[in-house]
Amino acid sequence: MREEEEPSWFARWEEQLPPPEELTPLSQSLITPDLALAFDIPAVPNPNPTPGSNPSPGSLHTHLTPSSGPHFDPSDPSAGASSGPHGGCPDEPARTLKRPRLVWTPQLHKRFVDAVAHLGIKNAVPKTIMQLMSVDGLTRENVASHLQKYRLYLKRMQGIGNGGGSSPSGNGSGPLSASDADTERLFASAPVPHHFLTGRSPGPTAAPDQYMPFVPAVPAMSTLQHHHQQMGLNHHQFYNQQRSNALGQFNGFDHHGFLARSMPAQPPQAISMHHHHRMVGPAGIGIMPSGNGYMDEMDMGSRGAGGARRELTLFPTGDH
DNA sequence: GATTAAATAT
DNA sequence: CATATTTAAT
């Protein structure tokens, strides 16, 4: 059975984007006991995910990066965008360690697309995009890499019956495998500017269309409080969950916690579907930060009034 | 083991 | 900056 395509899917798009409530019964919260204690979190191992019955619809699974190895992120302020005269902050170790793998969450990607859309293809260069995004911690390389893939995605869509970009997989003769599946999921998360597909560049100063003017000041958009709209998310929910749970990366905790991966020792990775790689002992991990709400762009320093020049920061605690 | 996503190198 | 290649994660 096929579900009807929603012409104005992008209207609800953002609504369906963050479905935290039904989010991920599969993903487990990984957190170090030490950290949990630090946060006064009742160490509830709860090794009983029981898919199907959601324990508390208010708890978010803090998904950290599944990585093998304790990688601390070097808060690299080398971002050209940040113009902050640090008088002297010996606080953070300026260790230049390898940067953890960045996980592009739908939210992040949305910002990315928004920035690109408002910059125009011409000015949509990694550097500019990065600057406009104002995401602390995001490097030009990150954007560049993602931009590359994004362009490829657009290109691919052009070749295929595009339109809404909802499900180009419906192509008759086209071995689409799971290639598009994943890519699509992520990229489709954000409304692809028509200009991109049409190959029409509106220009930065040109008519901004009716797209929401992305401002580096945290725009007020979807309401994260009431997610109820449960569409026909079924198996699709599967990967969506994975993507979404990555959303939890924004959770502010851990002083050095970076974007996605940054778990001090302790084997994370508990969200495996049918694949097995590194099974970890469920003991000691799996904590649900009670009272932990999602933190999207809007939740952070959203000071719309006055000079809200605060940028989005990927890291939780803006170290002092 | 295969595929994709991100990083890295050119 | 763009593209190709490599590395890592799913």
Side-chain angles (χ1 to χ4, degrees), chain A residues 2-305:
Chain A
R2 221 154 267 212
E3 291 162 54
E4 305 106 68
E5 291 277 329
E6 193 73 15
S8 54
W9 61 277
F10 89 70
R12 300 179 173 176
W13 152 77
E14 66 176 13
E15 288 275 357
Q16 70 176 245
L17 240 187
E21 269 186 41
E22 304 281 319
L23 263 202
T24 161
L26 295 169
S27 58
Q28 281 277 304
S29 319
L30 291 338
I31 194 172
T32 80
D34 190 5
L35 194 61
L37 289 171
F39 273 72
D40 193 14
I41 296 172
V44 158
N46 189 12
N48 189 9
T50 322
S53 58
N54 234 359
S56 323
S59 7
L60 164 73
H61 322 276
T62 62
H63 184 231
L64 299 156
T65 326
S67 198
S68 50
H71 297 81
F72 281 99
D73 72 273
S75 44
D76 192 334
S78 58
S82 30
S83 51
H86 303 60
C89 261
D91 199 337
E92 278 306 309
R95 292 170 188 161
T96 353
L97 284 170
K98 271 184 14 181
R99 201 190 284 284
R101 217 178 149 93
L102 172 65
V103 179
W104 283 87
T105 82
Q107 271 72 15
L108 245 176
H109 181 71
K110 195 223 177 284
R111 232 180 145 83
F112 169 83
V113 174
D114 250 348
V116 175
H118 283 99
L119 277 171
I121 304 289
K122 295 190 288 204
N123 294 336
V125 291
K127 191 181 177 182
T128 316
I129 297 172
M130 176 197 66
Q131 291 186 135
L132 223 167
M133 283 178 76
S134 292
V135 177
D136 213 358
L138 194 69
T139 70
R140 191 180 60 86
E141 317 298 326
N142 290 130
V143 178
S145 186
H146 194 69
L147 179 64
Q148 180 180 42
K149 274 188 49 192
Y150 184 65
R151 281 172 175 166
L152 257 69
Y153 168 72
L154 293 177
K155 208 176 222 178
R156 195 156 201 140
M157 224 188 228
Q158 281 184 356
I160 305 193
N162 46 54
S166 209
S167 313
S169 336
N171 212 358
S173 43
L176 293 178
S177 297
S179 36
D180 286 326
D182 218 20
T183 312
E184 210 175 304
R185 218 60 75 200
L186 204 167
F187 286 147
S189 306
V192 178
H194 20 298
H195 325 117
F196 289 29
L197 293 174
T198 56
R200 193 87 232 151
S201 48
T205 57
D209 284 294
Q210 48 264 41
Y211 264 121
M212 77 146 90
F214 161 79
V215 291
V218 182
M221 31 184 217
S222 67
T223 36
L224 218 66
Q225 295 253 319
H226 53 276
H227 347 350
H228 35 274
Q229 179 128 14
Q230 284 295 325
M231 292 175 54
L233 303 176
N234 274 324
H235 53 287
H236 289 168
Q237 209 172 25
F238 236 77
Y239 13 78
N240 263 349
Q241 283 176 2
Q242 294 198 350
R243 295 295 184 208
S244 301
N245 72 30
L247 198 155
Q249 77 182 88
F250 282 102
N251 268 331
F253 65 80
D254 191 344
H255 321 321
H256 317 84
F258 201 47
L259 333 164
R261 67 112 77 91
S262 55
M263 230 16 187
Q266 246 24 286
Q269 183 74 320
I271 51 161
S272 287
M273 14 177 137
H274 46 280
H275 277 34
H276 54 280
H277 260 151
R278 270 197 254 188
M279 253 344 182
V280 303
I285 52 174
I287 280 134
M288 288 213 197
S290 55
N292 204 346
Y294 311 100
M295 286 218 234
D296 275 8
E297 14 188 305
M298 66 178 104
D299 211 22
M300 293 209 122
S302 59
R303 258 66 187 178

